[in-house]
Amino acid sequence: MSTTIGLCSDHAGFLMKECVRIRLDQENIPYKDFGAYSPEACDYPDFAHPLAKAVESGEVHLGIAVCGTGNGIAMTLNKHQGIRAALCWESAVAHLSRAHNDANILVLPGRFIPEETAMKVLSVFLTTEFEEGRHRRRVDKIAL
Ligand code: RB5
């Protein structure tokens, strides 16, 4: 199984994605960056769909996605049957998104949380395992 993390953002999430990328570099965690590659205005679906497909195919293990609010990119990612993208603004939400929802993409609201919070959320998301048990039954009912 791939251990690579997939990244994507739009222009509003670009700087926070760069912070995530630098953190992954510091921790020697492999990643694939699906763009955006600059803060120039762009459309989040152009980057969200390729990341979603990479998570669904197993090319990457988990994803991190950032736009201004997190909502547009989360809505796009969650159109994909195999994706459970969770908008997380604090560590406890990130913990539960993995433990209870088996979220496979972390979505960060780049314009609404400080970088320090985002790094804590990222760390919790990447280190929390799915609890299985009763949550497996519920997660199995999500896809149409
Ligand atoms: C871009 O201005 C902004 O609309 C986008 O990043 C996101 O917040 C949409 O949901």
Side-chain angles (χ1 to χ4, degrees):
M1 192 177 75
S2 171
T3 56
T4 302
I5 304 293
L7 307 178
C8 84
S9 74
D10 68 355
H11 55 290
F14 175 73
L15 283 180
M16 189 167 282
K17 176 171 67 65
E18 287 300 284
C19 293
V20 170
R21 209 171 55 72
I22 289 164
R23 178 58 60 94
L24 295 179
D25 268 336
Q26 287 168 345
E27 298 190 3
N28 290 316
I29 297 173
Y31 61 83
K32 179 170 178 179
D33 189 349
F34 290 85
Y37 302 110
S38 82
E40 194 179 323
C42 59
D43 301 334
Y44 50 80
D46 295 341
F47 308 99
H49 287 303
L51 172 62
K53 287 176 186 169
V55 172
E56 283 185 311
S57 72
E59 180 191 352
V60 299
H61 170 49
L62 292 170
I64 316 292
V66 196
C67 72
T69 61
N71 275 323
I73 216 160
M75 289 175 190
T76 311
L77 292 163
N78 280 319
K79 289 288 179 194
H80 294 254
Q81 284 291 310
I83 297 303
R84 292 176 301 282
L87 176 56
C88 298
W89 57 94
E90 61 158 73
S91 297
V93 178
H95 172 81
L96 290 169
S97 78
R98 289 284 307 126
H100 289 190
N101 311 120
D102 198 19
N104 51 16
I105 300 184
L106 166 65
V107 180
L108 295 166
R111 285 178 170 161
F112 290 89
I113 59 172
E115 180 191 323
E116 188 188 346
T117 303
M119 293 303 104
K120 286 182 185 155
V121 167
L122 172 70
S123 169
V124 168
F125 187 85
L126 293 179
T127 55
T128 306
E129 295 294 325
F130 181 44
E131 281 179 13
E132 298 285 348
R134 67 189 187 281
H135 302 297
R136 167 61 63 196
R137 185 181 68 245
R138 293 164 186 165
V139 166
D140 284 347
K141 290 181 178 179
I142 293 176
L144 296 172

